[in-house]
Amino acid sequence: MSDNVAHALSGAGGGIISMAITYPLITIGTRLQVQRNNSKDGTAYTGNMDALRKILANEGLAGLFSGLESAIFGAAVTNGVYYYFFEAVKAAFERASRRNSMSTVESMVSGAIAGAMTCIITNPIWVVNTRLTVKQKKSKQQAENQADAESPSTIQAFAEIIREDGVLSLWQGLIPALILVINPIIQYTAFEQLKNRVERVRKLGSLDFFVLGAISKLCATSVTYPYILIKSRMQLKQSKNENERYSSLLDGLRKVIAAEGIAGLYKGIESKLLQSVLTASFLFMSKEALFSYTIKLLILIGARKSLAASK
């Protein structure tokens, strides 16, 4: 068995760890992203700290973890699929060029292929997660008894989306998601190139992976945030109000600017930047730490030959 499987498994493990640690920031950021108009009844979030205070007051600590189940599953699948394809393409380039590292263009191509495959495979998971993340807030405000206030499970939400909107609705927001392939391209290209430069000087440690992951993700998220916001809104159940219904990425951008101004494209960016940087940092650090253990586990169960035995 090739190292691609080990990279996929360690990437999935790193994704789970980083997602669990940073999920409250995802909840806050997502709710700010999908909030279209600031109502005057005091229920709208005016910023990150206001969102945190109101979620805790209205829903308790559990409100910050709405949809965590689907997010953990999504993070594992997303990172597993991404790392598998990224490392597979990377290995192909290195065999063809007979070099131990990729060029910038090769990193971008690897990221594009891995990102596109990941988007297509995992989009249904993130549609469900986006709806679950904002679902509890609405049910708490509207429900009159505790039974109605309970948030649906991932399976229930999945079935409800198919029943009410059809199977194809699970791929809502796929186009902006595919365009957002540029996000991991920027991230992993920056990471690979920075890593190569540092490795020429010294051996990398866990702190290095943390810092390099933070820098690369900060660059990627800053550039692509408006597309992230539109994708989140398109993944929600689309409104019958024509002014709030996005028929395409460009239509969404146009309507947000018209209704909320340029600033509307950056709602929740503070929490998203913090979450993205921390997630990427913990992901790269934990993935590298888990990789060696994954190799040992695969050798132990006989799914991979040891280097000594293969020589």
Side-chain angles (χ1 to χ4, degrees):
M1 186 178 290
S2 71
D3 283 354
N4 297 343
V5 175
H7 281 292
L9 292 175
S10 58
I16 291 174
I17 293 170
S18 60
M19 178 64 71
I21 292 173
T22 63
Y23 196 74
L25 291 169
I26 295 176
T27 299
I28 292 171
T30 301
R31 293 193 182 187
L32 285 169
Q33 287 169 7
V34 301
Q35 179 177 270
R36 299 171 190 256
N37 297 307
N38 294 324
S39 60
K40 298 180 180 180
D41 59 3
T43 60
Y45 304 139
T46 58
N48 292 282
M49 293 307 298
D50 182 60
L52 175 63
R53 180 177 59 80
K54 288 178 177 175
I55 291 172
L56 289 174
N58 297 328
E59 305 169 33
L61 186 62
L64 292 173
F65 294 90
S66 300
L68 178 61
E69 177 188 347
S70 61
I72 291 293
F73 178 66
V77 176
T78 296
N79 287 287
V81 171
Y82 190 93
Y83 272 109
Y84 181 85
F85 282 101
F86 184 85
E87 293 297 333
V89 178
K90 177 182 177 181
F93 276 129
E94 290 178 350
R95 284 195 302 270
S97 64
R98 296 182 180 179
R99 287 183 280 106
N100 292 325
S101 62
M102 294 188 293
S103 67
T104 302
V105 173
E106 289 170 344
S107 293
M108 293 176 69
V109 173
S110 298
I113 294 173
M117 294 302 298
T118 302
C119 285
I120 294 170
I121 293 171
T122 65
N123 199 76
I125 301 172
W126 296 115
V127 168
V128 173
N129 175 255
T130 299
R131 297 194 185 191
L132 282 174
T133 302
V134 301
K135 182 81 172 180
Q136 193 166 0
K137 178 186 70 165
K138 293 182 179 179
S139 59
K140 283 283 186 179
Q141 290 174 345
Q142 297 170 355
E144 296 180 355
N145 56 63
Q146 185 62 33
D148 290 334
E150 292 179 357
S151 183
S153 68
T154 300
I155 299 299
Q156 289 173 330
F158 185 81
E160 180 182 327
I161 291 170
I162 295 177
R163 183 175 62 253
E164 295 183 358
D165 302 323
V167 175
L168 291 180
S169 64
L170 292 170
W171 278 271
Q172 283 180 343
L174 179 60
I175 298 303
L178 286 172
I179 293 175
L180 280 169
V181 165
I182 194 175
N183 186 296
I185 289 177
I186 296 172
Q187 176 186 349
Y188 285 93
T189 298
F191 179 81
E192 286 290 326
Q193 298 308 311
L194 288 171
K195 185 182 74 170
N196 291 340
R197 288 179 179 274
V198 176
E199 281 182 330
R200 294 171 189 167
V201 180
R202 57 182 172 82
K203 184 178 179 180
L204 292 170
S206 295
L207 182 59
D208 293 311
F209 284 109
F210 186 94
V211 173
L212 294 181
I215 295 172
S216 60
K217 192 62 179 181
L218 180 64
C219 296
T221 302
S222 298
V223 172
T224 61
Y225 189 77
Y227 297 98
I228 295 173
L229 181 139
I230 298 299
K231 176 176 73 73
S232 294
R233 294 191 178 186
M234 289 183 74
Q235 287 178 338
L236 292 176
K237 185 177 178 66
Q238 290 293 289
S239 171
K240 293 181 179 179
N241 183 338
E242 182 61 30
N243 292 327
E244 296 184 354
R245 186 181 184 88
Y246 303 157
S247 60
S248 66
L249 173 62
L250 291 177
D251 182 55
L253 290 170
R254 180 178 59 81
K255 287 178 178 176
V256 171
I257 293 173
E260 305 167 43
I262 296 293
L265 293 173
Y266 294 91
K267 276 186 175 179
I269 190 172
E270 300 93 343
S271 57
K272 180 61 180 178
L273 283 173
L274 179 59
Q275 176 266 320
S276 294
V277 168
L278 289 177
T279 297
S281 300
F282 284 117
L283 170 62
F284 282 117
M285 184 174 66
S286 56
K287 187 264 181 184
E288 292 300 324
L290 289 171
F291 180 72
S292 60
Y293 291 106
T294 305
I295 291 290
K296 292 177 183 177
L297 177 62
L298 292 175
I299 293 174
L300 182 65
I301 64 176
R304 182 184 185 275
K305 294 180 180 179
S306 66
L307 290 178
S310 62
K311 288 181 180 180

